[in-house]
Amino acid sequence: MNYASKEDLDKKVDEVVKFHGVTVLVDPKAIFFLVGTVMDFEETLLASEFTFNNPNSKGECGCGESFNV
């Protein structure tokens, strides 16, 4: 996941998803793999982070950054 600038939003190459005042840009090639994914923001004593629950995921790497379908 990367943060986007105003120029990124103006390119209109990516799929734009807006929900509750948050704009998310998604690479069109990734849409199929992300269908049904729930994104959330969680705060714990150790971290504040975005979390993703993907029902299509068959496995993840040890750090949770990557998944396979």
Side-chain angles (χ1 to χ4, degrees), residues 9 11 33 36 39 45 48 52-53 56:
L9 293 171
K11 288 181 186 174
F33 300 107
M39 184 174 106
L45 294 174
S48 297
F52 300 88
N53 182 5
N56 304 314

Side-chain angles (χ1 to χ4, degrees), residues 5-31:
S5 65
K6 174 99 170 80
E7 294 82 30
D8 293 328
L9 293 171
D10 292 338
K11 288 181 186 174
K12 297 182 181 173
V13 174
D14 295 330
E15 190 72 29
V16 178
V17 179
K18 294 183 180 183
F19 191 71
H20 288 290
V22 176
T23 302
V24 178
L25 302 178
V26 180
D27 185 324
K29 294 180 275 183
I31 292 289

